[in-house]
Amino acid sequence: MNTAQKEAYLKQKNEELEAHWQLKARQELEKELMLYYQEALQEIQKDIDGIYARFAEGEGVDVAAIQARLSNLDATLCKKSIEEYLKTAKWHLDSEMLQELNTLHMRYQISRLDKLYADTCIELSKLAEKFEKDLGDFMENAYKDCYYHNLFEIGRTHGLVSTPVCVDTEKLLKFLDNPWSGKHYSDRIWTNQDKLAKVIKQQVLTSMHRGVNIEDLSRVVAQQMGAGMDEARRLVRTELNYAHNKGALDSITDAGMKYYRFIATLDKRTSHQCREHDGKIYPVEDGSPGTNMPPLHPHCRSTIAGSLKKDSAPKGQRVARKDNGRTYRVPAELTYSDWQTIYIDKRVTYDQWKQAKENFAHHDLKNGIIKVDKVKLKEEPYAVTKREAKKQGGSDWNFYDAKGNQYLQVSDNAHGHKEESQYGEHGEHAHWLDLYKKPPEPHGKAAEVPSFVRTKMGDVL
């Protein structure tokens, strides 16, 4: 294999490994989390049922009557349950739940609803403790697996000798302790559980004031727990993506490679941030999760792969996904924007794109640009003209092939057109022309700017 083929192979292996760990997380960690949430919900529901069974009359609940009929026994039992839990729980030092429970513990007379809130905090705290441990263990295993696999594949393809024989404690702690998104995953777990407890408390109070029956209240609480599970699921998938890519980056660095390539997922769900970075190459020392390295956002699915050169062109094929989830392969040289133009928007075929890339290599963008007031469909072979759009603002660049036929126009803004504003950060877009078609197509619909144009024109766009 040549260098480009080796890098394409590493890219494929990294994508497969990331998919493997995401699937493993769904089948194991998220399944376990769902049981945690279901168990917590059952315990919380028991406490809610107790309040309704004792104080509810008909379809409504008199909150004032609940407060008035408190007994010393209720307060004693509640204090005892809090005291017992505080003795055994391993609290997160920054958790607001600790302060909440201590405040409740110090009250002389504690209400039944306060007890419900305290019990809710306790159940969600138990859940958070298990979640924190399980996620930490899972991330550690994913990081190690990705690090070793990637290091092995680099050594196998490039013949690089990897000096590290194991992931040392210092490297592992640096990875686990890094608040890459501005907040550590542990802090996010406890913050989310604290918010969930307060939301449930407010829902219960509101429902009681409105006289909501127990069945409807149960559904509301279950919905809030479901939302909490969604937050947990998002956290798992985002942190796991970080673990995978950090393991890849560290292995790339330890193997002596100087660069990495950003790889976005080729399907319609991919974010605009990841689309913009797809195919770009960055120095390993500049790798920064959330900036130029995945994850760039929650639920990020992008990956990275090592590269020996900052301008290497990928060879072979890469995987793309249809709307139904089925995969197919496309040329690896295509970035997200190229894939979208060819396979989704169907503005041109791959052969036309390939021919345009070959034509573009002949243009003199430094000294050969001709300024014009009117765009023509015919010019000198491999000519490049530029027209200033006075009314609409911005500029249009027009490119001609070996026979002098215009095949592409690129604009640096949307010219105030809504359809074109969706392309590029500033509305920059392209129009493909096919003057060889019968009848000719002189000005096609707007499309993403081809990757080979962005690479060569750089900051001009």
Side-chain angles (χ1 to χ4, degrees), residues 3 46 59 108 196 217 221 315 337 357 398 408 418 447:
T3 300
K46 286 180 184 178
E59 291 296 308
Y108 176 70
L196 180 57
L217 177 56
V221 173
K315 300 291 184 181
S337 61
K357 183 180 180 181
N398 309 283
L408 185 67
K418 184 177 180 181

Side-chain angles (χ1 to χ4, degrees), residues 269-292:
R269 294 168 49 203
T270 298
S271 67
H272 284 287
Q273 302 103 299
C274 291
R275 295 180 189 186
E276 292 295 325
H277 285 276
D278 185 45
K280 293 183 178 179
I281 297 177
Y282 301 98
V284 291
E285 65 267 21
D286 295 339
S288 175
T291 303
N292 59 9

Side-chain angles (χ1 to χ4, degrees), residues 100-372:
E100 289 280 354
L101 286 181
N102 279 325
T103 300
L104 294 174
H105 181 212
M106 296 301 293
R107 289 183 182 177
Y108 176 70
Q109 292 289 340
I110 187 166
S111 72
R112 181 76 177 178
L113 291 180
D114 279 338
K115 182 183 186 306
L116 173 61
Y117 179 45
D119 289 345
T120 300
C121 287
I122 289 172
E123 290 305 323
L124 292 180
S125 297
K126 292 176 182 177
L127 188 159
E129 287 175 359
K130 291 184 284 189
F131 183 11
E132 182 180 9
K133 181 182 183 305
D134 288 358
L135 179 57
D137 292 344
F138 210 83
M139 287 177 63
E140 179 179 337
N141 291 332
Y143 172 86
K144 289 179 178 179
D145 188 52
C146 184
Y147 177 88
Y148 289 131
H149 268 90
N150 206 50
L151 202 61
F152 170 79
E153 295 294 354
I154 292 173
R156 180 170 172 265
T157 55
H158 292 276
L160 302 176
V161 179
S162 56
T163 53
V165 293
C166 66
V167 177
D168 57 65
T169 303
E170 182 180 354
K171 187 188 297 290
L172 191 58
L173 289 177
K174 186 177 180 180
F175 152 67
L176 289 173
D177 292 342
N178 181 29
W180 65 270
S181 61
K183 199 170 188 178
H184 194 265
Y185 72 86
S186 176
D187 294 329
R188 292 193 182 279
I189 290 174
W190 287 92
T191 298
N192 290 344
Q193 300 306 75
D194 182 54
K195 289 179 180 178
L196 180 57
K198 290 178 179 177
V199 168
I200 291 177
K201 173 187 177 183
Q202 187 58 48
Q203 289 287 355
V204 172
L205 284 171
T206 301
S207 296
M208 286 183 170
H209 277 295
R210 293 171 55 198
V212 174
N213 61 46
I214 185 66
E215 290 80 11
D216 289 341
L217 177 56
S218 297
R219 280 193 290 271
V220 170
V221 173
Q223 288 172 356
Q224 294 302 328
M225 290 295 286
M229 179 60 203
D230 289 341
E231 287 285 342
R233 187 180 292 110
R234 180 171 67 174
L235 181 62
V236 166
R237 295 179 183 180
T238 306
E239 292 293 336
L240 187 58
N241 182 270
Y242 164 67
H244 170 83
N245 286 295
K246 187 63 170 69
L249 183 70
D250 288 348
S251 64
I252 291 168
T253 303
D254 289 348
M257 301 184 82
K258 302 298 183 183
Y259 306 94
Y260 68 88
R261 186 187 301 276
F262 192 106
I263 308 162
T265 301
L266 296 184
D267 65 20
K268 293 181 181 179
R269 294 168 49 203
T270 298
S271 67
H272 284 287
Q273 302 103 299
C274 291
R275 295 180 189 186
E276 292 295 325
H277 285 276
D278 185 45
K280 293 183 178 179
I281 297 177
Y282 301 98
V284 291
E285 65 267 21
D286 295 339
S288 175
T291 303
N292 59 9
M293 172 185 158
L296 295 185
H297 54 81
H299 276 308
C300 189
R301 299 170 297 151
S302 297
T303 60
I304 64 171
S307 179
L308 289 174
K309 300 178 181 179
K310 62 181 179 181
D311 57 353
S312 61
K315 300 291 184 181
Q317 295 181 321
R318 63 184 299 191
V319 173
R321 289 185 175 86
K322 298 180 180 180
D323 291 344
N324 60 10
R326 292 184 178 179
T327 62
Y328 60 102
R329 294 191 174 276
V330 300
E333 63 180 323
L334 300 179
T335 65
Y336 190 98
S337 61
D338 301 320
W339 169 78
Q340 180 178 343
T341 297
I342 298 169
Y343 293 91
I344 303 301
D345 298 338
K346 300 184 185 302
R347 299 290 189 256
V348 291
T349 65
Y350 171 67
D351 289 339
Q352 289 173 309
W353 180 92
K354 187 76 172 178
Q355 182 60 54
K357 183 180 180 181
E358 294 176 4
N359 290 334
F360 201 82
H362 291 85
H363 297 312
D364 182 1
L365 298 180
K366 187 174 182 181
N367 302 308
I369 298 179
I370 305 169
K371 292 185 178 181
V372 297

Side-chain angles (χ1 to χ4, degrees), residues 404-421:
N405 289 323
Q406 187 180 5
Y407 68 92
L408 185 67
Q409 181 184 81
V410 175
S411 301
D412 61 7
N413 69 86
H415 305 314
H417 299 159
K418 184 177 180 181
E419 180 184 349
E420 296 168 352
S421 63

Side-chain angles (χ1 to χ4, degrees), residues 32-63:
E32 191 72 14
L33 277 175
M34 181 64 75
L35 293 176
Y36 294 162
Y37 272 85
Q38 290 174 348
E39 291 171 359
L41 175 60
Q42 290 174 359
E43 293 303 317
I44 294 170
Q45 191 60 57
K46 286 180 184 178
D47 291 327
I48 293 175
D49 290 345
I51 289 181
Y52 269 77
R54 184 171 182 180
F55 297 110
E57 295 179 0
E59 291 296 308
V61 176
D62 187 342
V63 176

